[in-house]
Amino acid sequence: MAVPTPIESKIKHLRSLVSKTSGQGTEAVGAWFIGPKGESQALLLSLLTQAADYSIYGRKTTYPSDPDWTDTQDPEYVAASKFIQENYLQLVKNLEEHCVPFSSYRYQGHMLWDQTLPALAGYFAALLYNQNNVAAEASPLTTALEMEVADQLCRLVGFSVWGEGEKIRPWAHITCGGTIANIEAVWSARNTKLYPFAVCAALKLNPELGALDSIEVQVTGRDQPRKKLTDLDWWELINLTAEVILELPTRLADEAEQVGMSLYFLSFIDQYTVQTLGLTGFANRMDDLLEAGGELREGLGKMKVLGSAALHYSLPKAATLLGLGNSAVHRVKVSRTARMETDHLAECLRHFLAARIPVMTVVAIMGTTEESAVDDLGAILDLRTEVRNDGMDFFIHADAAWGG
């Protein structure tokens, strides 16, 4: 049994404290906003003052014997303070004069409106501590908070969480916006879909991994057998289901443990991933390895991301950044209500299946930005089941866009 590290133990403790602050909420919606007329000004100032007071208290009481940073009576300090105050005053005047007054009732139908007061106060408080959630050691509390938010989102969409029926912790992180979220969704789909190639290459090209060479996977398709991973052709590899792909690292680790092999084999896999080789280098290396005669190179060059004609411009941006190009995004027709036409999606999928053009991801939009139209996610899942029977698979990205 693995012993928790000190930081893991601390995060567990902090998460228990976070959960104690959760409540049933309140119906007093007015208190959750500053208000179009600044009705909650006193509450806002109280919260911001509390945050500043606690932060200053912590600075004074942590390492109290350390020397002072500066003398606030020094003429240079006084001059610098005046300079900052004057420029800050000019900034806030400019903001008030020239920014769009989104807090007004007149903008309630716009995609920007007033931010919630707790969000503003929490943002201000967290800024005072400059946490960096890239590593829990640099952000023990805010990492715990981020994990709590991830669990809340899992519950929101019907997933179980760790300790509530789930054996493996779902994980997530908070992005800085919807564009980054969409880019990361396409990025993770590309890397995951192409991962079996890297495993196959590592097993074929490194005799040291011979003990793992016998690993078998379920080939996608009706009545398809299980086959050795290294015996699959490029089309079979690129259409393995997410369930099969995501099991691979655990299965390889289990096999390695049984034969007394350390996890060093993971480093062999890493050197063949698309993240390491780049899309062009990856296509060339894998096409040669699998003796695909250029078919894999051509297939990767045509790989598609499908979404409705109403999809957000961040998705073509994601395809461009990942080396797929704008042409990789294939737009599906929408109905008069701006929802994706699943009949046309089915036609597109059948066409790409017949042409052996891989489909990486189908994007289902949960509330398009302009029309608030919700695509039929259930029908898209059913279509995936259908084409799986014919040996094709793709990931599904549910884009919870602003219109949702």
Side-chain angles (χ1 to χ4, degrees):
M1 180 177 177
V3 178
T5 64
I7 191 65
E8 288 173 336
S9 299
K10 185 168 186 178
I11 287 178
K12 184 177 180 180
H13 170 66
L14 290 170
R15 292 202 71 207
S16 70
L17 297 180
V18 168
S19 63
K20 291 177 182 177
T21 65
S22 304
Q24 295 301 312
T26 172
E27 296 298 322
V29 178
W32 286 74
F33 294 88
I34 300 173
K37 304 295 184 184
E39 292 88 345
S40 296
Q41 177 185 11
L43 177 57
L44 173 67
L45 293 176
S46 171
L47 294 173
L48 298 187
T49 300
Q50 283 182 11
D53 286 347
Y54 270 90
S55 177
I56 298 302
Y57 171 79
R59 291 167 185 250
K60 288 181 175 180
T61 56
T62 303
Y63 310 120
S65 61
D66 285 357
D68 290 340
W69 169 256
T70 188
D71 178 6
T72 58
Q73 304 304 315
D74 182 82
E76 290 294 332
Y77 180 92
V78 173
S81 298
K82 183 179 179 181
F83 175 80
I84 292 171
Q85 289 172 329
E86 290 174 349
N87 282 272
Y88 186 73
L89 179 60
Q90 187 60 53
L91 170 65
V92 295
K93 284 182 176 179
N94 289 342
L95 287 168
E96 180 52 38
E97 182 178 353
H98 300 292
C99 287
V100 180
F102 286 123
S103 59
S104 168
Y105 291 124
R106 298 167 188 264
Y107 290 88
Q108 280 185 319
H110 195 272
M111 67 180 297
L112 298 175
W113 195 51
D114 207 7
Q115 301 98 322
T116 64
L117 194 153
L120 287 169
Y123 188 51
F124 175 82
L127 282 173
L128 296 172
Y129 294 90
N130 192 29
Q131 300 294 278
N132 186 346
N133 281 27
V134 71
E137 289 81 359
S139 56
L141 178 61
T142 51
T143 292
L145 288 167
E146 188 172 40
M147 293 168 70
E148 181 65 23
V149 170
D151 282 353
Q152 290 174 356
L153 289 172
C154 284
R155 295 187 189 100
L156 179 68
V157 296
F159 292 139
S160 56
V161 300
W162 179 259
E164 298 177 13
E166 183 62 56
K167 294 182 179 179
I168 301 175
R169 163 169 290 289
W171 65 271
H173 73 104
I174 302 170
T175 71
C176 63
T179 291
I180 295 297
N182 276 336
I183 291 172
E184 289 193 7
V186 179
W187 176 30
S188 64
R190 185 202 67 174
N191 292 356
T192 305
K193 197 161 189 64
L194 300 183
Y195 181 72
F197 289 89
V199 177
C200 183
L203 295 179
K204 283 188 172 186
L205 299 176
N206 294 276
E208 305 96 316
L209 306 184
L212 306 178
D213 184 59
S214 61
I215 191 164
E216 293 184 345
V217 294
Q218 177 61 53
V219 180
T220 303
R222 183 187 291 110
D223 301 325
Q224 287 296 311
R226 293 176 65 83
K227 294 171 62 174
K228 282 179 61 177
L229 184 71
T230 50
D231 288 341
L232 269 57
D233 63 29
W234 80 269
W235 184 252
E236 292 170 326
L237 280 169
I238 209 165
N239 284 294
L240 291 175
T241 67
E243 293 84 355
V244 169
I245 298 170
L246 295 174
E247 282 180 352
L248 275 175
T250 301
R251 291 186 58 201
L252 287 166
D254 290 343
E255 292 279 344
E257 184 179 6
Q258 289 181 14
V259 297
M261 184 186 298
S262 72
L263 294 183
Y264 77 89
F265 72 85
L266 291 172
S267 63
F268 287 94
I269 297 172
D270 288 343
Q271 63 184 307
Y272 302 111
T273 62
V274 66
Q275 301 97 291
T276 299
L277 298 174
L279 193 58
T280 301
F282 179 90
N284 291 333
R285 187 74 182 269
M286 297 305 158
D287 194 276
D288 293 341
L289 176 69
L290 298 172
E291 299 179 349
E295 193 175 355
L296 171 57
R297 275 192 292 267
E298 184 179 357
L300 289 177
K302 295 180 178 179
M303 189 159 57
K304 299 299 180 185
V305 175
L306 274 62
S308 86
L311 60 73
H312 194 258
Y313 64 81
S314 59
L315 287 156
K317 186 188 298 184
T320 302
L321 290 171
L322 293 172
L324 303 174
N326 276 330
S327 60
V329 179
H330 187 87
R331 296 176 184 269
V332 181
K333 295 177 182 177
V334 296
S335 67
R336 290 182 179 274
T337 57
R339 298 181 86 189
M340 180 192 288
E341 287 191 357
T342 51
D343 287 344
H344 185 234
L345 174 62
E347 291 178 20
C348 295
L349 291 171
R350 292 295 173 189
H351 168 74
F352 294 133
L353 174 61
R356 284 167 72 90
I357 295 174
V359 174
M360 187 175 76
T361 302
V362 171
V363 181
I365 307 174
M366 303 295 101
T368 57
T369 301
E370 287 82 7
E371 304 87 5
S372 299
V374 178
D375 291 337
D376 192 341
L377 179 58
I380 295 171
L381 287 164
D382 290 341
L383 278 175
R384 184 171 68 173
T385 300
E386 288 182 25
V387 297
R388 274 181 173 178
N389 289 331
D390 295 320
M392 172 186 264
D393 190 61
F394 52 85
F395 297 133
I396 294 176
H397 169 44
D399 178 14
W402 170 76

